[in-house]
Amino acid sequence: MRRDVFQAIADPTRRAIIVLIALQAMTPNAIAGHFDTTRQAISKHLRILTECELITQEQQGREIYYQLEVKKMKEIDKWLEQFRKIWESRFNQLDEVLLTIKKNKK
Amino acid sequence: MRRDVFQAIADPTRRAIIVLIALQAMTPNAIAGHFDTTRQAISKHLRILTECELITQEQQGREIYYQLEVKKMKEIDKWLEQFRKIWESRFNQLDEVLLTIKKNKK
DNA sequence: TATATTTGCAACCGATTAGTTTCGCAAATA
DNA sequence: TATTTGCGAAACTAATCGGTTGCAAATATA
């Protein structure tokens, strides 16, 4: 069973859940209230998100509050890092081209 | 058929392809040489990546060179932006706590 | 104690996925 | 011209996915 951060954020509902609980922890019922599906479906998403450690849970009586593990999101950021270098350098190359054109105009 | 950047990078093979062609354009055959699958399977991945505009192709005789559309990767970066604010502010809060501890020690 | 609420889990279902094999087409080469 | 090479598309398959319904367990409330 493949279960990584990238597969976790592939589903739009899971991305919405992530955004939803980013600022404050929420119970499955409360989360499900924001979507047009059953609570069980949301529960499944929460299980997947938990399995790849994107969220953590905190029991409070019979309620369970789910919270985003923001630092796990950095894994995506880390992967993007290598491309950030490229797209920045490509811009630099473009800058150089423009600079050369300017110089030639003189 | 859902086809967005997040679904595109969900597959580990596709992520590897993206990394592979990030620096220089490559033909399907050359790409397939790096993996333990058939060229046709790679071709399918390339189609998906093309459909969500993550890569572009350039015909050269009977060869087709695939190249990464780096700027499309920024879409992921853009989505991460909202969390970057959170994880930075969380760190700031931690900094403040540590600062308070330091002050109290005086 | 009896009942209601909150939740996770299992079983099932249709759709999608990633892979395979087979094929046809166009370009290069003998 | 005949053959090889590079490629995408179609048909098929096993596995996975996202959703459903129907439970059971634990906690709160009457």
Side-chain angles (χ1 to χ4, degrees):
Chain A
M1 203 181 301
R2 176 161 42 89
R3 202 123 289 182
D4 56 61
V5 191
F6 296 98
Q7 191 252 345
I9 63 161
D11 183 79
T13 305
R14 279 198 291 271
R15 281 202 304 280
I17 291 176
I18 288 173
V19 172
L20 203 57
I21 64 169
L23 292 172
Q24 61 169 14
M26 289 178 77
T27 64
N29 258 329
I31 295 168
H34 286 77
F35 298 93
D36 200 26
T37 53
T38 57
R39 177 194 56 77
Q40 284 91 334
I42 298 297
S43 205
K44 263 186 153 188
H45 284 304
L46 291 173
R47 198 165 76 90
I48 291 168
L49 291 169
T50 303
E51 275 173 17
C52 44
E53 297 170 303
L54 260 169
I55 61 174
T56 54
Q57 46 188 301
E58 198 184 326
Q59 190 105 22
Q60 220 162 93
R62 70 182 163 190
E63 290 179 330
I64 301 176
Y65 283 86
Y66 284 91
Q67 187 177 17
L68 184 64
E69 196 66 38
V70 201
K71 66 167 181 274
K72 193 73 180 180
M73 300 291 287
K74 282 191 186 177
E75 256 182 40
I76 309 161
D77 199 58
K78 207 176 168 183
W79 187 72
L80 276 185
E81 195 66 34
Q82 55 191 318
F83 306 107
R84 201 169 289 121
K85 282 169 194 162
I86 296 170
W87 78 52
E88 276 165 6
S89 74
R90 291 247 171 108
F91 271 119
N92 290 345
Q93 281 169 26
L94 183 63
D95 285 346
E96 278 178 43
V97 170
L98 294 174
L99 211 67
T100 311
I101 292 169
K102 271 191 181 176
K103 277 180 183 171
N104 289 346
K105 276 192 178 174
K106 283 180 189 174
Chain B
M1 203 178 301
R2 176 161 41 90
R3 202 121 286 183
D4 56 63
V5 191
F6 296 98
Q7 189 251 348
I9 63 162
D11 183 78
T13 305
R14 279 197 291 269
R15 281 202 303 281
I17 292 176
I18 288 173
V19 172
L20 203 58
I21 64 169
L23 292 172
Q24 60 168 15
M26 289 177 76
T27 64
N29 258 327
I31 296 168
H34 287 77
F35 298 94
D36 200 25
T37 54
T38 57
R39 175 192 57 79
Q40 285 87 338
I42 298 297
S43 205
K44 263 187 151 187
H45 284 304
L46 292 173
R47 198 166 75 90
I48 291 168
L49 291 170
T50 303
E51 275 173 15
C52 45
E53 297 170 303
L54 259 170
I55 61 175
T56 53
Q57 46 189 299
E58 197 184 327
Q59 189 106 21
Q60 220 162 94
R62 68 180 166 192
E63 290 180 330
I64 301 176
Y65 283 86
Y66 285 90
Q67 186 177 17
L68 184 64
E69 198 65 37
V70 202
K71 65 167 182 276
K72 192 74 179 180
M73 301 292 286
K74 283 191 186 177
E75 257 181 41
I76 309 161
D77 199 59
K78 206 175 170 185
W79 186 72
L80 277 184
E81 195 65 34
Q82 55 191 319
F83 305 106
R84 202 169 288 120
K85 281 169 194 162
I86 296 170
W87 78 52
E88 276 165 7
S89 73
R90 291 242 172 112
F91 272 119
N92 290 346
Q93 281 169 24
L94 183 63
D95 285 346
E96 278 177 43
V97 170
L98 293 174
L99 211 68
T100 313
I101 293 168
K102 271 191 182 175
K103 277 181 185 172
N104 289 346
K105 275 191 178 174
K106 282 180 187 173

